Amino acid sequence: MKIEQYIVDAFAERIFEGNPAVICVLERWLPDELMQKIASENNLSETAFLVPTEDTYGLRWFTPNGEIDLCGHATMAATYVVTTYLDTGKTDIAFSTRSGRLTAISKGGIFYIELPAFCLTPVPPPASIVKAIGVEPVETFMGRDMLCVLPSAEDVKAVSPDLNEIASYDGLLFHITAKGEECDCVSRTFAPKCGVPEDAVCGSGHCHIVPYWSGKLRKAELTARQASPRGGTLHCRYANDKVILGGRCVLFSEAVIRL
């Protein structure tokens, strides 16, 4: 068996920027165990699997440690692969996923994906939060993930996290954010439970971050910057409990898996 595989940098203007995702194009679903082995072998934050159907593409996302329900940057990378290699000329894409039907469009070299927003519940910060990130949050929320709002953008950039401590917290991922200086907000994402110390640019994380800052800044449209070592810029819109994320994609490599 041969499987076409693409590595795409999402939310990137050039290679080695943004967040890399592996997109594997299948004729039909493989056994879950085999897809997990492929994801673990690739050892990037996400390996996504695409299966063409009549009017949509089936899409599933795997971290090195397991399958997850939603991933933004791999959905954007999948949109790039569909419009560039599988169905050239197509500008509107629908994906069938564990988070329901997701839609994406390609417009002028920018890819836009629409994702469900997570409801945020205020919670007390964990007792060990200062040990974990070195600073006391201004506010803490729980959605699918934990979101900590820090006093400043410099605080976000300076964090050197205790990943073992973070792995003990509730939620799947752990996000820190603050008001931006040259953009609306900055953030970083840590995912030790998924085998990913720091996610370079996290789309699903912005399904927490964008609703928060949209309400705080009273703006529907935001420019967000993920302040990871690779970095990435997201053009965001929040409306009707949906988060629309826009960004560019760059192909890093294409290969064939032989099974």
Side-chain angles (χ1 to χ4, degrees):
M1 179 192 301
K2 296 181 181 180
I3 299 171
E4 293 288 336
Q5 173 174 285
Y6 304 85
I7 299 180
V8 178
D9 291 339
F11 302 110
E13 299 285 340
R14 57 192 66 83
I15 61 169
F16 308 126
E17 190 178 77
N19 204 356
V22 179
I23 308 298
C24 296
V25 181
L26 309 176
E27 294 181 358
R28 64 187 68 84
W29 294 117
L30 301 173
D32 289 4
E33 182 183 4
L34 179 54
M35 289 192 287
Q36 184 60 64
K37 285 181 177 179
I38 292 171
S40 298
E41 184 79 5
N42 283 323
N43 201 33
L44 288 178
S45 63
E46 300 294 339
T47 295
F49 297 88
L50 267 179
V51 173
T53 63
E54 247 184 58
D55 62 341
T56 66
Y57 286 83
L59 181 63
R60 294 172 67 181
W61 309 279
F62 286 76
T63 75
N65 283 2
E67 185 172 11
I68 61 172
D69 290 339
L70 183 66
C71 176
H73 82 278
T75 303
M76 180 168 287
T79 304
Y80 170 86
V81 169
V82 169
T83 57
T84 305
Y85 297 101
L86 306 183
D87 201 345
T88 56
K90 192 174 181 67
T91 57
D92 295 80
I93 311 295
F95 298 105
S96 176
T97 79
R98 288 174 59 163
S99 289
R101 184 183 177 94
L102 304 181
T103 58
I105 63 172
S106 170
K107 184 177 181 181
I110 299 179
F111 300 90
Y112 298 90
I113 55 175
E114 184 180 86
L115 304 174
F118 288 103
C119 180
L120 298 177
T121 301
V123 295
S128 64
I129 192 68
V130 175
K131 175 187 175 186
I133 62 173
V135 61
E136 185 75 33
V138 176
E139 296 177 278
T140 304
F141 298 89
M142 182 62 66
R144 180 198 68 179
D145 311 328
M146 183 172 287
L147 173 67
C148 290
V149 183
L150 302 192
S152 73
E154 288 306 313
D155 288 321
V156 170
K157 295 172 186 175
V159 164
S160 179
D162 182 331
L163 294 175
N164 289 330
E165 201 64 43
I166 285 172
S168 71
Y169 296 162
D170 292 340
L172 181 63
L173 310 183
F174 179 86
H175 313 288
I176 55 176
T177 187
K179 189 175 184 301
E181 296 166 347
E182 298 177 355
C183 57
D184 291 301
C185 60
V186 298
S187 66
R188 290 172 68 192
T189 294
F190 307 99
K193 292 179 184 177
C194 299
V196 179
E198 180 165 4
D199 200 10
V201 185
C202 186
S204 64
H206 282 80
C207 294
H208 301 72
I209 294 162
V210 171
Y212 173 81
W213 285 111
S214 178
K216 200 75 171 176
L217 301 176
R218 298 183 180 180
K219 296 173 65 174
E221 296 189 3
L222 306 169
T223 300
R225 180 72 183 173
Q226 191 108 26
S228 67
R230 289 176 64 101
T233 299
L234 306 92
H235 305 283
C236 313
R237 180 175 177 81
Y238 179 57
N240 303 318
D241 295 323
K242 299 287 186 181
V243 174
I244 297 172
L245 302 178
R248 296 185 182 273
C249 291
V250 182
L251 179 71
F252 174 68
S253 71
E254 52 185 309
V256 175
I257 300 174
R258 300 180 185 274
L259 299 175

